[in-house]
Every structure is written in C-alpha cells, then in structure tokens.
Amino acid sequence: MATSVIERSNGKAEVFPDLEALSLRAASIFVSASRNSISAKMRFAAAISGGSTPRRLYAVLGSEVYRHQVDWKHVHLFWADERCVPKEDEASNFRSAFDALLSKVGLPKENIHRMKGEEVPEKAARDYEEEIRRFFGESERPQFDLIILGVGEDGHTASLFPGSKSLEETVRLVLPVYLEEPKKNRITLTLPVLNDADQILFLAAGPSKAAILAEILGDGERRKLFPAGSVHPSHGTVTWLIDQEAAGKLRD
Ligand code: 6PG
C-alpha cells in the first residue's frame, strides 16, 4: 500500500516504505496491464530496463506467487536499452532479466526481443528498429503497452543521458549511444518511442535518487533539463513508484 500519492503535471508518484513494497506494486501493475492488453488484442508488448532497481520486480514476477498470474504465451518482451556486451556478461540487461525472470516463466523464445549487445552498436540499433517495426507493423507508430524505466542520479533514463544528441532524435526508434565516461557503448530506445507508450512506469529507490526526483517531480520547468523529465507520453500515463528515501526531498 502506498504511504502517499503525489500528483504532478508530468504524472503521479506513489511513495512506498521500501523497494520490496514498490516492487510488489509494480508487479501488480504489470499483471493487470498484461491482462487488459491480452483481453483487448491478444498480446501484451512491454519494454524493460536494466540497472539494479527493477531486479526485485523481475524476481517477484518470476516467483511462484506471480508467474501464474500472467499469460506469458501472449507477452512480447523488449528492452528499453542495453549495454554493448555479450548476453552472458554480468553487465547485460538481458542477462539480469533472464536470471531473475525469463528463466522462470514460460515466455516463448520468439516472444523475447533482445537487443544484440554483442553486435556493432550501429548495426544492433538498426536491426532492433527493424524488429520493432516488423512487430508493430511498418506503417504503425510503435505503441508499447508498458515501458518500465529507471532514473540515474544525473536524470538519465534508458540510455538517454543529459546533453546527449540522442535526445533530439525525432525519426529513429533505436540509437547507439557512446558514453565518454566510462567509455562504453549502449543501445537505447529514443524519446519518441517512450512518448508513444500507453503506460510508463518509473521505479526509483534509495537516498541517492532524492535530489534528482526533487528536480523531476518538482513543480518547475527544470524537469525538462533531465531526460527522465522529458518522458511525457502524448496519450499515455506516467507513474513513478518510489520509496520514502527517494521521496526524501519532495515538498508534499
Ligand atoms: C541501465 C538502465 C538505466 C537505469 C538507471 C538507474 O541499463 O542501466 O536502463 O537507465 O535504469 O541507470 O539504474 P539503477 O536502477 O541501478 O539506479
């Protein structure tokens, strides 16, 4: 149960005592979103993120209690971003989801739409865009039913970092991104894809996120300085699930 709910022009934030409680809430949102989409159109297209915060959610969805609540045969899983490493690598977002969730549920192989982190980044980005366009239909704007995102202390989300040219992209759905520090390649969905989603779910926990959440969930225009603050679906919803420590600097 949320201890408080904060309404903002760019979405609502539900505050929970800890990561466990917000992960259980995220799991119930995943379950109901999947049921609504599957009953409406026989499929549920979700994109997930890496990083540490969503790992507990993936483990909950893969648990005995939750894994039977989702009709995995009709779920299509995509990634919001990936590190350019082999899928067995510890840093791989695919591996993180595989260990906690995919290895525990009956998601058909062909429904797992992995970003090929082992490929040349530009090729991997173009191939993934083709795969997304094939899945949603060439003429359609891809509309994910649910996208799960995190936020970095600098306000990045997926692999869209502050000041990066990738934030200005209006045509391509997927881009390779090079991070000067720590000299790493990533692949990321672009803002137009995030802003076409039906439902965006941000997960953030811990005191290290309090300052950036005060910026992004503050009531000023400063939020647009941060990639996570620029996620504002044209017809969809944004919900932030945060814990008390991450909410520590919010003025409500
Ligand atoms: C990644 C993510 C990234 C992540 C944030 C927050 O590949 O790392 O997609 O955008 O969501 O960095 O990470 P934490 O959850 O570990 O704080």
Side-chain angles (χ1 to χ4, degrees):
M1 187 63 187
T3 52
S4 64
V5 176
I6 301 164
E7 298 286 351
R8 283 285 184 274
S9 59
N10 57 336
K12 84 175 167 175
E14 298 179 10
V15 183
F16 295 84
D18 53 30
L19 178 62
E20 185 64 20
L22 80 84
S23 303
L24 292 172
R25 170 68 170 140
S28 68
I29 290 175
F30 187 99
V31 169
S32 54
S34 71
R35 288 182 175 163
N36 295 342
S37 298
I38 293 169
S39 64
K41 46 191 172 177
M42 291 309 287
R43 73 174 193 193
F44 173 59
I48 61 174
S49 283
S52 55
T53 312
R55 281 199 196 123
R56 185 65 198 127
L57 162 63
Y58 304 151
V60 169
L61 286 171
S63 68
E64 186 53 36
V65 178
Y66 277 81
R67 67 171 163 251
H68 306 297
Q69 297 184 31
V70 176
D71 177 1
W72 296 102
K73 288 190 310 306
H74 294 99
V75 173
H76 283 263
L77 211 58
F78 293 77
W79 273 256
D81 73 327
E82 183 58 283
R83 292 88 179 273
C84 292
V85 293
K87 67 179 179 359
E88 303 77 17
D89 192 291
E90 291 236 332
S92 159
N93 288 346
F94 169 79
R95 166 142 178 217
S96 157
F98 183 85
D99 293 350
L101 174 62
L102 303 180
S103 56
K104 311 243 173 11
V105 297
L107 191 63
K109 269 198 172 42
E110 62 277 14
N111 292 18
I112 300 175
H113 305 270
R114 180 176 74 85
M115 287 181 169
K116 307 276 184 317
E118 67 276 17
E119 291 271 1
V120 172
E122 178 60 41
K123 179 178 180 326
R126 292 203 179 276
D127 291 353
Y128 205 63
E129 173 150 349
E130 264 174 45
E131 183 161 351
I132 289 174
R133 289 195 185 284
R134 241 190 338 270
F135 177 79
F136 285 99
E138 299 294 345
S139 58
E140 301 297 314
R141 283 167 65 128
Q143 287 179 352
F144 283 94
D145 300 302
L146 176 67
I147 301 184
I148 296 171
L149 296 172
V151 59
E153 292 169 35
D154 61 356
H156 80 261
T157 192
S159 285
L160 297 166
F161 287 81
S164 157
K165 275 193 83 40
S166 56
L167 292 166
E168 294 151 28
E169 182 60 48
T170 56
V171 177
R172 292 182 63 177
L173 309 179
V174 189
L175 282 177
V177 170
Y178 179 66
L179 308 182
E180 275 306 331
E181 212 23 70
K183 302 204 174 333
K184 296 269 188 215
N185 285 294
R186 298 250 188 129
I187 306 160
T188 188
L189 295 182
T190 57
L191 270 178
V193 179
L194 303 183
N195 285 330
D196 265 342
D198 286 350
Q199 195 174 359
I200 296 276
L201 195 55
F202 277 105
L203 309 183
S208 69
K209 300 293 171 69
I212 193 62
L213 288 187
E215 295 275 18
I216 294 172
L217 294 171
D219 37 28
E221 285 304 294
R222 278 183 55 75
R223 65 180 166 82
K224 292 194 181 132
L225 299 174
F226 307 98
S230 308
V231 178
H232 205 10
S234 48
H235 66 277
T237 63
V238 175
T239 304
W240 288 78
L241 302 183
I242 62 181
D243 72 356
Q244 236 129 30
E245 289 182 318
K249 291 198 167 88
L250 291 180
R251 273 200 315 282
D252 272 71

